[in-house]
Amino acid sequence: MAIDAKTGKLIPSFGTNGKVNLNVGVRDDPTKISVTLSTPGRVFNDLIIIGSRVPDFYGAAPGYIRAYNCRTGKLVWTFHTIPHPGEPGYDTWPKDAYKYAGGVNCWGGLSIDRKRGMVFLALVSPTYDYYGADRKGANLYGNCVLALDAATGHYKWHFQTVHHHDIWDYDLPAPPNLVLAKD
């Protein structure tokens, strides 16, 4: 929601009458899924970058990473955490996993390195948490620290903490810490 600080009222020019429905723009029917925020997004220039919280049960929506324009509410970019055909990491999942697998969301938060223009995300396991037979492979970007270009959402790099379809629910529960090393 975009709220006018002076009046406390919604700003109607933002999104649809002052609101953006986070269920819209994810793979599944927006009337049948639940996409919420468990942590606030982070602002980079005129974008608000968000992760999401999706249910941990079988058939849940995927946890796409998205950036919206702070002034208009317009969706600017989306990163598919369960890659689509032609995207990096697609070959680490079964052929049609992007059509049915869920999770791989960022409920624990994200960090921004403004100097480098990068966003770092702590991604969690795919769903269903304790069953992996329908998603053989490394399942990128499940259980990863993921780095994206903050302005475009383009992939930079990842580090996967649990390989080969996590069935233990070893989520990364906190935003990545960015530390300045001194020589």
Side-chain angles (χ1 to χ4, degrees):
M1 290 186 255
I3 300 172
D4 184 311
K6 293 179 183 177
T7 66
K9 295 183 180 180
L10 291 174
I11 300 170
S13 60
F14 179 85
T16 304
N17 299 318
K19 299 178 185 179
V20 171
N21 183 344
L22 298 180
N23 289 5
V24 174
V26 180
R27 174 194 66 211
D28 304 322
D29 179 346
T31 65
K32 297 180 179 177
I33 61 172
S34 174
V35 178
T36 60
L37 295 178
S38 55
T39 61
R42 298 288 183 264
V43 174
F44 178 78
N45 297 336
D46 61 350
L47 300 175
I48 183 162
I49 303 170
I50 63 165
S52 63
R53 184 187 175 287
V54 296
D56 290 336
F57 54 77
Y58 194 76
Y64 296 164
I65 308 305
R66 296 180 280 178
Y68 294 88
N69 182 287
C70 290
R71 291 180 184 87
T72 66
K74 179 183 175 192
L75 179 64
V76 176
W77 60 256
T78 300
F79 182 86
H80 300 124
T81 55
I82 301 172
H84 289 203
E87 295 177 343
Y90 173 75
D91 60 344
T92 69
W93 291 82
K95 180 182 174 192
D96 289 329
Y98 72 100
K99 294 179 181 178
Y100 65 83
V104 192
N105 51 300
C106 176
W107 64 261
L110 51 106
S111 304
I112 298 219
D113 181 333
R114 293 188 184 288
K115 182 177 177 183
R116 291 176 179 80
M118 294 174 66
V119 58
F120 299 88
L121 304 117
L123 300 180
V124 304
S125 61
T127 58
Y128 175 71
D129 289 353
Y130 304 106
Y131 180 76
D134 63 341
R135 53 182 171 81
K136 294 183 181 192
N139 296 160
L140 296 179
Y141 297 93
N143 306 91
C144 279
V145 174
L146 176 66
L148 304 175
D149 182 295
T152 65
H154 291 140
Y155 170 87
K156 292 286 196 178
W157 58 263
H158 73 276
F159 177 80
Q160 190 172 36
T161 60
V162 178
H163 300 284
H164 301 292
H165 62 275
D166 174 18
I167 56 172
W168 306 282
D169 195 21
Y170 286 158
D171 290 356
L172 298 175
N177 289 311
L178 304 181
V179 180
L180 178 62
K182 293 199 175 206
D183 294 334

